[in-house]
Amino acid sequence: MTEKDQSVNNTEEEVNSEENVETQNVDNSQDSVENTDNSEVKEDHLQEDSQEEVQAEDVDPKDEKIQELEKLANDNEEKYLRLYAEFENYKRRIQNENQINKTYQAQGVLTDILPSIDNIERALQIEGDDESFKSLQKGVQMVHESLLRALKDNGLEEIEAEGQEFDPNLHQAVVQDDNPDFKSGEITQELQKGYKLKDRVLRPSMVKVNQ
């Protein structure tokens, strides 16, 4: 081997040696960077844990108790308001029922007495010339008027019928008539009186209706 060749080989070995050194330096630098990053991440986790521990230590047991009591008070207030509303609704319902009962408390008695009124009115339609009969008829008429006055004071009202437009809510049609003096649908004759208490029908009027 010549001196020239020996020199070339030496030069190549030096170049390779320098490249190896540079590669090792690069690897060491990367390892150092990774170690630094890992250290920073660990420090961040440690700081977060430390902050959470500090926050946990900052919570006062008294504050927790106050929060529990406030929640309990709010729940109880909600229950109270709901019960109060239900009670008010119940009270109004009872008041309405009492008012209705008071308004129509005479309904049962009035309904039971209507047949007696019918019988008195039929008796008054009987005619006679005898003085004793006329005297008796006048007494019956006075009783009838007195009874009707007392019943009207308790809310009894007669239902108007003859000449009125037929109303199925107030009248009961039992006969159909053909009378040119009345319009179609008008009542030509009342066969039995009808009565109502305030706005509640006790008995509809039995009528003839013009066709």
Side-chain angles (χ1 to χ4, degrees):
M1 179 181 296
T2 63
E3 291 180 359
K4 184 177 181 180
D5 292 335
Q6 183 67 32
S7 176
V8 169
N9 289 334
N10 291 336
T11 302
E12 290 177 354
E13 289 177 356
E14 289 177 358
V15 170
N16 290 333
S17 175
E18 290 178 356
E19 290 178 352
N20 290 333
V21 170
E22 291 178 357
T23 300
Q24 288 179 357
N25 290 335
V26 170
D27 291 340
N28 291 335
S29 176
Q30 290 178 348
D31 292 340
S32 176
V33 170
E34 290 178 356
N35 292 332
T36 301
D37 292 340
N38 291 333
S39 297
E40 291 178 354
V41 170
K42 289 180 179 179
E43 289 179 358
D44 291 339
H45 284 304
L46 290 174
Q47 290 179 357
E48 291 177 358
D49 293 340
S50 177
Q51 290 177 355
E52 291 177 356
E53 291 177 356
V54 169
Q55 291 177 354
E57 291 177 355
D58 290 341
V59 176
D60 193 337
K62 293 182 179 179
D63 293 336
E64 292 181 353
K65 188 64 176 179
I66 291 174
Q67 291 177 357
E68 292 178 1
L69 293 175
E70 288 178 348
K71 184 178 183 302
L72 181 60
N74 291 333
D75 293 341
N76 289 335
E77 182 181 8
E78 183 178 353
K79 291 179 182 178
Y80 166 76
L81 292 176
R82 185 161 53 250
L83 289 173
Y84 179 77
E86 292 177 357
F87 175 74
E88 287 296 314
N89 291 334
Y90 169 77
K91 186 168 69 174
R92 281 193 295 269
R93 185 169 64 252
I94 294 299
Q95 289 175 347
N96 291 335
E97 291 177 357
N98 290 337
Q99 184 63 36
I100 292 173
N101 292 334
K102 183 179 180 181
T103 302
Y104 301 106
Q105 63 183 351
Q107 178 175 347
V109 175
L110 295 177
T111 302
D112 292 339
I113 207 171
L114 292 181
S116 299
I117 296 176
D118 295 336
N119 291 332
I120 294 175
E121 291 177 348
R122 291 190 190 100
L124 291 174
Q125 292 174 359
I126 299 174
E127 296 181 357
D129 296 331
D130 188 77
E131 290 297 329
S132 60
F133 175 81
K134 290 182 178 180
S135 177
L136 177 61
Q137 187 180 50
K138 185 176 181 180
V140 173
Q141 186 174 3
M142 292 176 61
V143 171
H144 178 255
E145 292 174 354
S146 176
L147 180 60
L148 284 180
R149 188 163 48 250
L151 295 176
K152 288 180 180 179
D153 290 341
N154 283 274
L156 184 69
E157 300 177 25
E158 291 185 9
I159 296 175
E160 295 183 2
E162 190 169 337
Q164 301 295 317
E165 185 76 18
F166 176 76
D167 185 349
N169 296 316
L170 302 174
H171 310 123
Q172 181 182 356
V174 294
V175 179
Q176 193 173 44
D177 201 359
D178 186 8
N179 191 328
D181 296 332
F182 292 87
K183 296 179 181 179
S184 176
E186 284 186 348
I187 297 171
T188 61
Q189 184 181 355
E190 183 181 56
L191 302 177
Q192 185 183 60
K193 285 185 178 181
Y195 296 92
K196 62 181 181 178
L197 175 62
K198 305 297 183 181
D199 57 349
R200 182 176 295 181
V201 175
L202 300 180
R203 187 180 73 184
S205 300
M206 296 176 62
V207 297
K208 281 184 179 181
V209 181
N210 204 35
Q211 62 182 3

